[in-house]
Amino acid sequence: MAHLLARVRMWAAHHRLAWWLTAGVLALVTGLAVDAAASTPACPTADALSTDDRSTPRSGERAIALDRRSDQLALEPGDRVDLYAVDDLTNSGRLLVSAARVLDLDDGTVTVAIPRRDVGPVATARRWGDIALALVPPD
């Protein structure tokens, strides 16, 4: 009988150790998660706040690349352009987006930021014809 009681005591001690070890690990993991969630992010530096990043779309905008033909406008990042759909079936263009912001350009393409709601019409217009750019004068 003494042997049986000794085995029961060993079993209980073993399970207590496992329980306390598991509880300690869970407390450590929970504490690390709470510390990570409660920590405040570092404030941006003055240099980061002062830079005018005109080459990325802002919230609510999407960047879209358009072909540049031989009749290229003299554009720079930050300029505003109107986008017109032009096809072979009609003799007039249709305004797709007004005052789209130029993000980047090279010899063959120009990347503009357009509102998210206008991505579908612009993509459709690119499929069925060309898109003409009209430079918007600065305010």
Side-chain angles (χ1 to χ4, degrees):
M1 184 73 161
H3 178 66
L4 180 62
L5 289 176
R7 299 279 293 180
V8 168
R9 279 194 304 262
M10 260 181 31
W11 178 83
H14 171 71
H15 283 294
R16 255 185 267 134
L17 177 65
W19 187 89
W20 282 108
L21 186 62
T22 303
V25 168
L26 286 175
L28 179 67
V29 169
T30 303
L32 291 174
V34 168
D35 285 345
S39 65
T40 58
C43 292
T45 62
D47 294 335
L49 293 175
S50 66
T51 58
D52 183 22
D53 190 14
R54 294 188 278 181
S55 63
T56 59
R58 297 179 184 140
S59 177
E61 290 181 334
R62 298 297 183 260
I64 190 163
L66 303 171
D67 296 331
R68 292 183 80 187
R69 305 289 182 214
S70 60
D71 54 348
Q72 297 178 1
L73 291 172
L75 297 174
E76 292 185 19
D79 285 346
R80 297 286 181 159
V81 291
D82 290 340
L83 304 180
Y84 287 91
V86 181
D87 59 25
D88 295 336
L89 302 176
T90 60
N91 59 357
S92 63
R94 179 175 52 95
L95 180 64
L96 295 170
V97 179
S98 62
R101 193 166 42 93
V102 175
L103 299 176
D104 191 24
L105 63 149
D106 59 22
D107 291 335
T109 60
V110 59
T111 304
V112 295
I114 61 172
R116 183 176 52 208
R117 67 178 181 278
D118 294 330
V119 171
V122 171
T124 303
R126 286 187 65 202
R127 169 86 166 92
W128 296 109
D130 291 333
I131 294 180
L133 305 176
L135 184 61
V136 175
D139 293 339

